[in-house]
Amino acid sequence: MVGDRTIVLGVTGSIAAYKAVELASKLTQDGAWVDVVMTRSAQEFVTPLTFRSVTQRPVVTEMFDLESEFSIEHVSLAERADLVVIAPATANIIAKLAGGIADDMLCCTVLATKAPVLVAPAMNVNMYESQVTQENIARLKERGCKFIGPAYGRLASGAWGLGRLAEIDDILGTINQVLGRGGDLAGRRIVVSAGGTQEPIDPVRHIGNRSSGRMGYALAEAARDRGAEVVLVSAPTALTPPIDVEVVQVQTTLQMRDAIAAATARADALIMAAAPVDYHPKTVAKTKIKKGTGAITLELVENPDILSEVKGEKGDFIKVGFAAESENLVKNATEKLKNKRLDFIVANDITATDSGFGADTNRVVLIDRSGKVTKLPLLPKSEVADKILDRVAELLPKRKAKK
Ligand code: CTP
């Protein structure tokens, strides 16, 4: 989303200013034009040269600096911006913005811009919780500013509380989401499932599988970045929940079925990237099963097939399945496509080491109802996600938006 977009990054005087360097660097690596505007207090913590080095762009520090290409026309940055991000934002800048003060370049830019404004506060917990700061934040939200954080944690003063700058990855996620608002999935509700479910055997053991959840999480993030409202129904994973995605955590296949039935009631598409365990133990031992009694037998009961049975209110959302196969990839996947009445299926060979379970990359084959088979090369899961969503986006106009 950020590629070729102009992002004005306002940095203000908080100890968290050093973290904004990583934000500027990541945005630049992702292809954005990052124009950093620093307040005078921010420069007490980090030098403009640091930002200049990571962004390869001039850094604006003064309103009346004749050397700067932006200062001559004090609202030029405001006009160029696709998004203004203030990270970290102190109580002071929040108060100034709420009051419409324009006594430095950052305030002028925010006041004059028509671009969305994202604010990531970082300050002492008492300053954050003070009535006046909360009133200022509420005023800015009313005017359409989006806030991310602050997070709870250890603050510079040594105290614990709300006031830490949000995680950089969360700020990046929100930036993508804000820039993606007008994307090709805007106004659509997409449900994605991810991870391998777990079926308890006793209080400490379960039946599971090797699904890492990465493909589903990549799909949820990519759909969010293209403007969709996303519900991610996730089995347990080691992954961080994506920002601005509604995450429903489940453990068992039956719980996943119920969560998906609820989430798809008004969905435009369901993408089942999860690996639900197909069987559950008939009884779950209440206490830990002890060894030493010789062989034990587990009686397993078949779980429902979620994709086959799920229906929207009118049964008319797009259904996308995955097929994890170790042999006869296209033949087995085509059978699943038909049996589960899918719009298309994403098949992958789980015996390959560079794709499938646990890998960051995936090599998949897309098969649609007409029998058309499209082989994709080995790609990062984020790019596979976009290819899948391209297909979903092509099919969507043929169906009515629900909202
Ligand atoms: N799936 C499902 N409910 C299940 C099992 C699988 O909805 N109980 C979905 C998966 O999320 C995937 C597709 O069905 O999108 C195919 O899953 P896969 O594990 O490849 O196949 P199965 O249908 O379970 O068949 P088999 O294990 O025999 O290959």
Side-chain angles (χ1 to χ4, degrees):
M1 276 302 143
V2 303
D4 251 354
R5 313 293 281 273
T6 298
I7 297 178
V8 171
L9 174 60
V11 183
T12 69
S14 147
I15 177 63
Y18 76 93
K19 297 182 183 171
V21 178
E22 190 193 345
L23 180 60
S25 169
K26 286 192 165 169
L27 287 168
T28 307
Q29 284 169 42
D30 288 347
W33 301 97
V34 183
D35 287 321
V36 176
V37 183
M38 300 180 79
T39 61
R40 215 162 278 170
S41 348
Q43 294 165 60
E44 300 288 333
F45 293 93
V46 188
T47 68
L49 180 63
T50 314
F51 284 105
R52 193 183 177 121
S53 307
V54 298
T55 63
Q56 308 284 311
R57 314 258 313 142
V59 173
V60 181
T61 52
E62 297 291 337
M63 197 132 85
F64 304 106
D65 172 7
L66 295 179
E67 301 292 304
S68 162
E69 62 174 289
F70 302 118
S71 305
I72 299 162
E73 176 51 78
H74 70 290
V75 292
S76 60
L77 267 181
E79 282 163 6
R80 288 162 45 97
D82 290 306
L83 174 70
V84 179
V85 183
I86 307 173
T90 56
N92 186 47
I93 189 80
I94 289 170
K96 280 165 57 170
L97 297 181
I101 291 170
D103 65 348
D104 65 19
M105 194 62 173
L106 181 56
C107 291
C108 278
T109 303
V110 175
L111 198 59
T113 195
K114 293 209 162 42
V117 177
L118 174 63
V119 183
M123 66 192 77
N124 164 274
V125 56
N126 294 334
M127 287 170 85
Y128 177 67
E129 286 174 353
S130 75
Q131 193 181 340
V132 65
T133 300
Q134 289 303 313
E135 281 170 11
N136 288 335
I137 290 174
R139 281 167 81 188
L140 288 170
K141 280 185 180 169
E142 258 169 46
R143 289 184 218 144
C145 278
K146 188 165 169 90
F147 278 74
I148 166 142
Y152 181 88
R154 188 177 182 281
L155 306 177
S157 62
W160 285 73
L162 267 183
R164 277 173 72 89
L165 182 70
E167 294 299 326
I168 296 302
D169 280 345
D170 287 347
I171 299 176
L172 283 167
T174 308
I175 289 172
N176 278 306
Q177 189 251 342
V178 172
L179 288 173
R181 270 181 197 159
D184 60 352
L185 297 178
R188 301 294 190 166
R189 182 174 157 97
I190 308 239
V191 180
V192 179
S193 70
T197 58
Q198 299 176 345
E199 299 295 347
I201 298 169
D202 70 11
V204 291
R205 302 180 181 94
H206 60 252
I207 300 172
N209 59 57
R210 289 180 45 217
S211 170
S212 67
R214 286 198 188 131
M215 193 60 242
Y217 276 57
L219 275 160
E221 285 179 10
R224 171 203 67 195
D225 294 350
R226 291 166 73 149
E229 174 193 335
V230 181
V231 184
L232 174 63
V233 179
S234 178
T237 71
L239 305 172
T240 312
I243 196 93
D244 284 320
V245 162
E246 184 188 334
V247 182
V248 183
Q249 302 278 4
V250 297
Q251 186 189 10
T252 66
T253 297
L254 285 172
Q255 287 168 1
M256 182 169 271
R257 176 192 59 182
D258 293 347
I260 285 176
T264 49
R266 54 182 187 87
D268 294 291
L270 166 65
I271 308 176
M272 275 295 290
V277 173
D278 289 323
Y279 293 88
H280 66 266
K282 189 169 181 192
T283 51
V284 179
K286 291 214 164 47
T287 53
K288 188 180 169 201
I289 299 171
K290 291 297 202 187
K291 66 171 182 258
T293 49
I296 59 165
T297 304
L298 280 179
E299 191 180 345
L300 300 178
V301 180
E302 196 167 354
N303 277 328
D305 190 278
I306 302 171
L307 260 184
S308 302
E309 70 171 42
V310 71
K311 285 193 183 70
E313 263 164 15
K314 299 190 186 90
D316 61 350
F317 53 80
I318 289 165
K319 282 208 285 184
V320 182
F322 275 71
E325 303 297 340
S326 51
E327 56 187 356
N328 300 327
L329 186 72
V330 173
K331 182 176 165 284
N332 288 345
T334 306
E335 253 165 48
K336 285 179 189 171
L337 169 89
K338 286 187 183 142
N339 293 343
K340 299 181 193 227
R341 297 183 308 280
L342 306 178
D343 290 86
F344 68 94
I345 193 155
V346 185
N348 66 337
D349 176 358
I350 49 167
T351 59
T353 50
D354 54 4
S355 68
F357 292 139
D360 281 326
T361 48
N362 214 352
R363 182 183 285 111
V364 302
V365 176
L366 307 184
I367 307 168
D368 69 17
R369 276 189 186 173
S370 69
K372 191 171 113 195
V373 177
T374 313
K375 287 190 179 164
L376 298 181
L378 186 71
L379 292 170
K381 283 184 172 168
S382 57
E383 285 182 38
V384 176
D386 268 321
K387 300 273 181 214
I388 294 168
L389 293 172
D390 286 347
R391 278 287 170 94
V392 171
E394 269 170 35
L395 293 169
L396 278 170
K398 296 175 189 146
R399 296 160 195 254
K400 260 195 358 259
K402 305 259 169 33
K403 293 189 300 161

PDB file of all heavy atoms in Angstrom, residues 253 272 274 276 278 304-307 321-324 336 340, ligand 1:
ATOM      1  N   THR A 253     -12.000 -27.783  16.167  1.00  0.00           N
ATOM      2  CA  THR A 253     -12.685 -27.664  14.874  1.00  0.00           C
ATOM      3  C   THR A 253     -14.150 -27.258  15.076  1.00  0.00           C
ATOM      4  O   THR A 253     -14.686 -26.440  14.322  1.00  0.00           O
ATOM      5  CB  THR A 253     -12.576 -29.001  14.106  1.00  0.00           C
ATOM      6  OG1 THR A 253     -11.189 -29.230  13.849  1.00  0.00           O
ATOM      7  CG2 THR A 253     -13.332 -28.973  12.795  1.00  0.00           C
ATOM      8  N   MET A 272     -10.778 -20.309   3.492  1.00  0.00           N
ATOM      9  CA  MET A 272     -10.443 -21.295   4.546  1.00  0.00           C
ATOM     10  C   MET A 272      -8.995 -21.742   4.398  1.00  0.00           C
ATOM     11  O   MET A 272      -8.711 -22.769   3.776  1.00  0.00           O
ATOM     12  CB  MET A 272     -11.354 -22.527   4.420  1.00  0.00           C
ATOM     13  CG  MET A 272     -12.696 -22.432   5.086  1.00  0.00           C
ATOM     14  SD  MET A 272     -12.688 -22.312   6.891  1.00  0.00           S
ATOM     15  CE  MET A 272     -12.160 -23.921   7.399  1.00  0.00           C
ATOM     16  N   ALA A 274      -7.268 -22.393   7.074  1.00  0.00           N
ATOM     17  CA  ALA A 274      -6.973 -23.173   8.284  1.00  0.00           C
ATOM     18  C   ALA A 274      -6.843 -24.652   7.947  1.00  0.00           C
ATOM     19  O   ALA A 274      -7.306 -25.118   6.918  1.00  0.00           O
ATOM     20  CB  ALA A 274      -8.090 -22.979   9.304  1.00  0.00           C
ATOM     21  N   PRO A 276      -8.220 -27.524   9.802  1.00  0.00           N
ATOM     22  CA  PRO A 276      -8.979 -28.073  10.937  1.00  0.00           C
ATOM     23  C   PRO A 276      -8.666 -29.567  11.094  1.00  0.00           C
ATOM     24  O   PRO A 276      -8.595 -30.293  10.112  1.00  0.00           O
ATOM     25  CB  PRO A 276     -10.443 -27.865  10.521  1.00  0.00           C
ATOM     26  CG  PRO A 276     -10.410 -26.945   9.333  1.00  0.00           C
ATOM     27  CD  PRO A 276      -9.087 -27.168   8.681  1.00  0.00           C
ATOM     28  N   ASP A 278      -9.421 -33.266  11.545  1.00  0.00           N
ATOM     29  CA  ASP A 278     -10.623 -33.942  11.031  1.00  0.00           C
ATOM     30  C   ASP A 278     -11.326 -34.826  12.063  1.00  0.00           C
ATOM     31  O   ASP A 278     -12.457 -35.266  11.842  1.00  0.00           O
ATOM     32  CB  ASP A 278     -10.247 -34.791   9.807  1.00  0.00           C
ATOM     33  CG  ASP A 278      -9.926 -33.910   8.596  1.00  0.00           C
ATOM     34  OD1 ASP A 278     -10.599 -32.871   8.431  1.00  0.00           O
ATOM     35  OD2 ASP A 278      -8.993 -34.239   7.843  1.00  0.00           O
ATOM     36  N   PRO A 304     -17.103 -32.222  11.701  1.00  0.00           N
ATOM     37  CA  PRO A 304     -17.793 -31.775  10.477  1.00  0.00           C
ATOM     38  C   PRO A 304     -16.802 -31.126   9.521  1.00  0.00           C
ATOM     39  O   PRO A 304     -15.768 -30.633   9.953  1.00  0.00           O
ATOM     40  CB  PRO A 304     -18.789 -30.737  10.994  1.00  0.00           C
ATOM     41  CG  PRO A 304     -18.247 -30.283  12.299  1.00  0.00           C
ATOM     42  CD  PRO A 304     -17.463 -31.428  12.877  1.00  0.00           C
ATOM     43  N   ASP A 305     -17.128 -31.139   8.245  1.00  0.00           N
ATOM     44  CA  ASP A 305     -16.313 -30.407   7.274  1.00  0.00           C
ATOM     45  C   ASP A 305     -16.901 -28.999   7.177  1.00  0.00           C
ATOM     46  O   ASP A 305     -18.019 -28.807   6.685  1.00  0.00           O
ATOM     47  CB  ASP A 305     -16.342 -31.104   5.914  1.00  0.00           C
ATOM     48  CG  ASP A 305     -15.315 -30.479   4.991  1.00  0.00           C
ATOM     49  OD1 ASP A 305     -15.608 -29.423   4.378  1.00  0.00           O
ATOM     50  OD2 ASP A 305     -14.206 -31.016   4.916  1.00  0.00           O
ATOM     51  N   ILE A 306     -16.139 -28.036   7.678  1.00  0.00           N
ATOM     52  CA  ILE A 306     -16.670 -26.675   7.817  1.00  0.00           C
ATOM     53  C   ILE A 306     -17.034 -26.085   6.459  1.00  0.00           C
ATOM     54  O   ILE A 306     -18.141 -25.566   6.270  1.00  0.00           O
ATOM     55  CB  ILE A 306     -15.638 -25.767   8.535  1.00  0.00           C
ATOM     56  CG1 ILE A 306     -15.287 -26.354   9.903  1.00  0.00           C
ATOM     57  CG2 ILE A 306     -16.171 -24.343   8.682  1.00  0.00           C
ATOM     58  CD1 ILE A 306     -14.125 -25.671  10.611  1.00  0.00           C
ATOM     59  N   LEU A 307     -16.125 -26.206   5.513  1.00  0.00           N
ATOM     60  CA  LEU A 307     -16.369 -25.613   4.183  1.00  0.00           C
ATOM     61  C   LEU A 307     -17.603 -26.202   3.516  1.00  0.00           C
ATOM     62  O   LEU A 307     -18.355 -25.499   2.852  1.00  0.00           O
ATOM     63  CB  LEU A 307     -15.167 -25.864   3.276  1.00  0.00           C
ATOM     64  CG  LEU A 307     -14.184 -24.738   3.079  1.00  0.00           C
ATOM     65  CD1 LEU A 307     -13.117 -25.152   2.079  1.00  0.00           C
ATOM     66  CD2 LEU A 307     -14.850 -23.448   2.616  1.00  0.00           C
ATOM     67  N   GLY A 321     -11.221 -22.556  -0.867  1.00  0.00           N
ATOM     68  CA  GLY A 321     -10.618 -23.565  -0.002  1.00  0.00           C
ATOM     69  C   GLY A 321      -9.149 -23.742  -0.325  1.00  0.00           C
ATOM     70  O   GLY A 321      -8.641 -23.245  -1.341  1.00  0.00           O
ATOM     71  N   PHE A 322      -8.475 -24.437   0.551  1.00  0.00           N
ATOM     72  CA  PHE A 322      -7.086 -24.838   0.320  1.00  0.00           C
ATOM     73  C   PHE A 322      -7.059 -26.353   0.241  1.00  0.00           C
ATOM     74  O   PHE A 322      -7.911 -27.017   0.827  1.00  0.00           O
ATOM     75  CB  PHE A 322      -6.187 -24.364   1.476  1.00  0.00           C
ATOM     76  CG  PHE A 322      -5.706 -22.948   1.299  1.00  0.00           C
ATOM     77  CD1 PHE A 322      -6.590 -21.886   1.425  1.00  0.00           C
ATOM     78  CD2 PHE A 322      -4.381 -22.686   1.001  1.00  0.00           C
ATOM     79  CE1 PHE A 322      -6.160 -20.584   1.250  1.00  0.00           C
ATOM     80  CE2 PHE A 322      -3.930 -21.389   0.831  1.00  0.00           C
ATOM     81  CZ  PHE A 322      -4.813 -20.341   0.954  1.00  0.00           C
ATOM     82  N   ALA A 323      -6.101 -26.890  -0.457  1.00  0.00           N
ATOM     83  CA  ALA A 323      -5.930 -28.341  -0.473  1.00  0.00           C
ATOM     84  C   ALA A 323      -4.467 -28.641  -0.182  1.00  0.00           C
ATOM     85  O   ALA A 323      -3.583 -28.254  -0.945  1.00  0.00           O
ATOM     86  CB  ALA A 323      -6.335 -28.913  -1.816  1.00  0.00           C
ATOM     87  N   ALA A 324      -4.240 -29.249   0.972  1.00  0.00           N
ATOM     88  CA  ALA A 324      -2.879 -29.647   1.330  1.00  0.00           C
ATOM     89  C   ALA A 324      -2.716 -31.082   0.857  1.00  0.00           C
ATOM     90  O   ALA A 324      -3.367 -31.987   1.375  1.00  0.00           O
ATOM     91  CB  ALA A 324      -2.729 -29.556   2.849  1.00  0.00           C
ATOM     92  N   LYS A 336     -11.842 -31.937  -4.183  1.00  0.00           N
ATOM     93  CA  LYS A 336     -12.257 -31.132  -3.020  1.00  0.00           C
ATOM     94  C   LYS A 336     -13.058 -29.906  -3.480  1.00  0.00           C
ATOM     95  O   LYS A 336     -14.049 -29.532  -2.851  1.00  0.00           O
ATOM     96  CB  LYS A 336     -11.034 -30.689  -2.209  1.00  0.00           C
ATOM     97  CG  LYS A 336     -10.444 -31.816  -1.375  1.00  0.00           C
ATOM     98  CD  LYS A 336      -9.214 -31.384  -0.599  1.00  0.00           C
ATOM     99  CE  LYS A 336      -8.565 -32.626   0.037  1.00  0.00           C
ATOM    100  NZ  LYS A 336      -7.255 -32.367   0.626  1.00  0.00           N
ATOM    101  N   LYS A 340     -16.808 -29.727  -2.066  1.00  0.00           N
ATOM    102  CA  LYS A 340     -17.097 -28.666  -1.097  1.00  0.00           C
ATOM    103  C   LYS A 340     -17.785 -27.472  -1.759  1.00  0.00           C
ATOM    104  O   LYS A 340     -17.971 -26.441  -1.121  1.00  0.00           O
ATOM    105  CB  LYS A 340     -15.789 -28.234  -0.403  1.00  0.00           C
ATOM    106  CG  LYS A 340     -15.123 -29.391   0.365  1.00  0.00           C
ATOM    107  CD  LYS A 340     -13.846 -28.975   1.078  1.00  0.00           C
ATOM    108  CE  LYS A 340     -13.082 -30.222   1.541  1.00  0.00           C
ATOM    109  NZ  LYS A 340     -12.621 -30.171   2.914  1.00  0.00           N
TER     110      LYS A 340
HETATM  111  N1  CTP B   1     -11.608 -28.068   5.871  1.00  0.00           N
HETATM  112  C1  CTP B   1     -12.753 -27.749   6.528  1.00  0.00           C
HETATM  113  N2  CTP B   1     -13.200 -28.522   7.553  1.00  0.00           N
HETATM  114  C2  CTP B   1     -12.515 -29.628   7.902  1.00  0.00           C
HETATM  115  C3  CTP B   1     -11.342 -29.975   7.209  1.00  0.00           C
HETATM  116  C4  CTP B   1     -10.910 -29.164   6.199  1.00  0.00           C
HETATM  117  O1  CTP B   1     -13.397 -26.753   6.191  1.00  0.00           O
HETATM  118  N3  CTP B   1     -12.969 -30.372   8.904  1.00  0.00           N
HETATM  119  C5  CTP B   1     -11.150 -27.176   4.792  1.00  0.00           C
HETATM  120  C6  CTP B   1      -9.711 -26.670   4.910  1.00  0.00           C
HETATM  121  O2  CTP B   1      -9.667 -25.451   5.623  1.00  0.00           O
HETATM  122  C7  CTP B   1      -9.293 -26.503   3.477  1.00  0.00           C
HETATM  123  C8  CTP B   1     -10.087 -27.584   2.759  1.00  0.00           C
HETATM  124  O3  CTP B   1     -11.181 -27.920   3.615  1.00  0.00           O
HETATM  125  O4  CTP B   1      -9.683 -25.252   2.960  1.00  0.00           O
HETATM  126  C9  CTP B   1      -9.292 -28.826   2.461  1.00  0.00           C
HETATM  127  O5  CTP B   1      -8.629 -29.263   3.621  1.00  0.00           O
HETATM  128  P1  CTP B   1      -7.649 -30.511   3.561  1.00  0.00           P
HETATM  129  O6  CTP B   1      -7.073 -30.733   4.929  1.00  0.00           O
HETATM  130  O7  CTP B   1      -6.708 -30.363   2.409  1.00  0.00           O
HETATM  131  O8  CTP B   1      -8.621 -31.668   3.156  1.00  0.00           O
HETATM  132  P2  CTP B   1      -9.705 -32.494   3.877  1.00  0.00           P
HETATM  133  O9  CTP B   1     -11.033 -32.061   3.348  1.00  0.00           O
HETATM  134  O10 CTP B   1      -9.547 -32.459   5.370  1.00  0.00           O
HETATM  135  O11 CTP B   1      -9.424 -33.937   3.295  1.00  0.00           O
HETATM  136  P3  CTP B   1      -8.155 -34.913   3.543  1.00  0.00           P
HETATM  137  O12 CTP B   1      -7.628 -34.570   4.932  1.00  0.00           O
HETATM  138  O13 CTP B   1      -8.742 -36.249   3.445  1.00  0.00           O
HETATM  139  O14 CTP B   1      -7.149 -34.596   2.460  1.00  0.00           O
END
